[in-house]
Each structure stands twice: as structure tokens, then as C-alpha cells.
């Protein structure tokens, strides 16, 4: 009986195509935030600073937003879990200065196991292949700009509404 079943199964795969029998069930893609981006302690003065996603180094570009000298932050890291060997449209949005004096411009890479890294182009939808695992890792830093004096007595958090958009094609 085992030999008959094996033959019928093999015949079924040949007649219907090898890809029609899959070990994976399609999932609805979702994301997990592994690391929230953090520039560390910053000053409330106007200026700009950049967090390098590959070295974790925070560099003061102009003004006095970030301290001088060697400083480290935490790059953002998001993993999108999707279906293997599909294409995802992904967009990581920048934050424009909407009157609060703060703007953020993202920079980073998409990592997919077994495929070359893809440079992240913020505010532009990019088509990324999910590869054999279905997982896309986004590592990002960027430039934070402050154009107004901020209140020194309180911490502030920069929240970008709908910062990450992704859909499976």
C-alpha cells in the first residue's frame, strides 16, 4: 500500500506541477519592531545630527542639537514577515517639519537572506523580493533636524504617523 501511495502522490505532483504542493501556507504580511531608533540624549538647540545605521555613530552636522565627540545611538530595525519568494512594495516615510521644528530623513538598507542588500530610498515605494525565507529586515538611521528652540525640561519623542507602508504584490 505504501508504494501505491507514493506513486499516486508523485503522479499528482507531475500532473499538477511541483509548485502546487507547498509546505507553506500564505500568511498576511506583518511587521515587528526589533529596535526603535534613538539618537540618545540630544539638546534642544537648533541644528542637525545624523545616526549612521551601520556604525551606530551619531554625528553633529550643524548647530548644537547633538553633543560633539564620539557618541552612539540605536539604529532602527524592523522585520517584515511575509511569504517566501514574493515581491513587497515598501515605503519608509520621512517626517517633514509640520510646525514643531522637527524633521527626520531616513537612510538605511533592506536585508534579505541570500540576496544583495538594497539601499533604502525614503519616501519612495521600493519593490523588494522576500527571498526564500519571506523575511525582510530594514536597518535604518537618518538625519534629525531641529529648527526651533525645544523645551529642555522635558523629553520629546518624534512619532511619524504611518511611517512604514508595505503590501505584498
Amino acid at each position: 500500500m505504501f508504494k501505491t501511495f507514493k506513486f499516486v502522490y508523485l503522479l499528482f505532483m507531475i500532473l499538477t506541477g511541483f509548485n502546487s504542493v507547498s509546505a507553506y501556507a500564505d500568511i498576511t504580511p506583518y511587521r515587528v519592531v526589533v529596535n526603535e531608533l534613538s539618537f540618545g540624549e540630544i539638546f534642544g538647540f537648533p541644528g542637525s545630527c545624523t545616526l549612521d545605521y551601520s556604525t551606530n555613530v551619531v554625528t553633529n552636522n550643524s548647530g548644537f542639537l547633538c553633543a560633539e565627540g564620539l557618541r552612539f545611538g540605536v539604529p532602527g530595525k524592523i522585520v517584515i514577515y511575509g511569504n517566501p519568494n514574493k515581491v513587497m512594495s515598501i515605503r519608509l516615510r520621512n517626517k517633514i517639519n509640520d510646525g514643531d521644528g522637527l524633521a527626520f530623513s531616513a537612510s538605511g538598507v533592506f536585508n534579505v537572506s541570500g540576496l544583495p542588500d538594497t539601499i533604502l530610498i525614503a519616501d519612495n515605494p521600493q519593490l523588494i523580493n522576500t527571498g526564500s525565507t519571506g523575511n525582510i529586515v530594514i536597518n535604518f538611521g537618518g538625519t534629525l533636524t531641529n529648527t526651533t528652540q525645544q523645551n529642555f525640561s522635558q523629553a520629546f519623542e518624534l512619532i511619524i504617523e504611518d511611517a512604514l507602508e508595505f503590501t505584498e504584490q
Side-chain angles (χ1 to χ4, degrees), residues 117-137:
D117 291 350
T118 302
I119 299 296
L120 183 153
I121 304 169
D123 272 340
N124 292 302
Q126 291 177 263
L127 299 177
I128 306 295
N129 187 314
T130 61
S132 61
T133 64
N135 304 336
I136 300 171
V137 179

Side-chain angles (χ1 to χ4, degrees), residues 145-166:
T145 304
N146 179 30
T147 59
T148 61
Q149 183 74 31
Q150 300 292 328
N151 187 345
F152 284 104
S153 63
Q154 59 181 295
F156 61 91
E157 202 172 70
L158 182 64
I159 298 173
I160 304 172
E161 294 298 324
D162 302 318
L164 179 65
E165 301 169 357
F166 60 95

Side-chain angles (χ1 to χ4, degrees), residues 83-157:
N83 295 296
N85 302 312
K86 300 284 183 168
V87 174
M88 289 259 198
S89 174
I90 304 173
R91 177 180 177 211
L92 187 63
R93 296 178 49 187
N94 289 326
K95 185 216 180 278
I96 60 169
N97 181 347
D98 56 5
D100 61 359
L102 298 170
F104 175 73
S105 177
S107 63
V109 294
F110 297 103
N111 304 112
V112 178
S113 179
L115 299 174
D117 291 350
T118 302
I119 299 296
L120 183 153
I121 304 169
D123 272 340
N124 292 302
Q126 291 177 263
L127 299 177
I128 306 295
N129 187 314
T130 61
S132 61
T133 64
N135 304 336
I136 300 171
V137 179
I138 306 169
N139 292 300
F140 65 98
T143 301
L144 178 65
T145 304
N146 179 30
T147 59
T148 61
Q149 183 74 31
Q150 300 292 328
N151 187 345
F152 284 104
S153 63
Q154 59 181 295
F156 61 91
E157 202 172 70

Side-chain angles (χ1 to χ4, degrees), residues 25-86:
D26 279 353
I27 64 168
T28 300
Y30 63 97
R31 71 182 167 114
V32 173
V33 176
V34 178
N35 291 331
E36 290 188 6
L37 181 131
S38 172
F39 281 82
E41 187 176 22
I42 59 174
F43 304 122
F45 296 113
S48 74
C49 53
T50 299
L51 171 58
D52 185 303
Y53 65 88
S54 63
T55 64
N56 302 2
V57 172
V58 176
T59 304
N60 191 51
N61 300 329
S62 65
F64 298 102
L65 182 61
C66 296
E68 293 290 336
L70 186 61
R71 297 195 44 232
F72 296 96
V74 179
K77 182 175 186 175
I78 300 171
V79 179
I80 298 175
Y81 295 94
N83 295 296
N85 302 312
K86 300 284 183 168

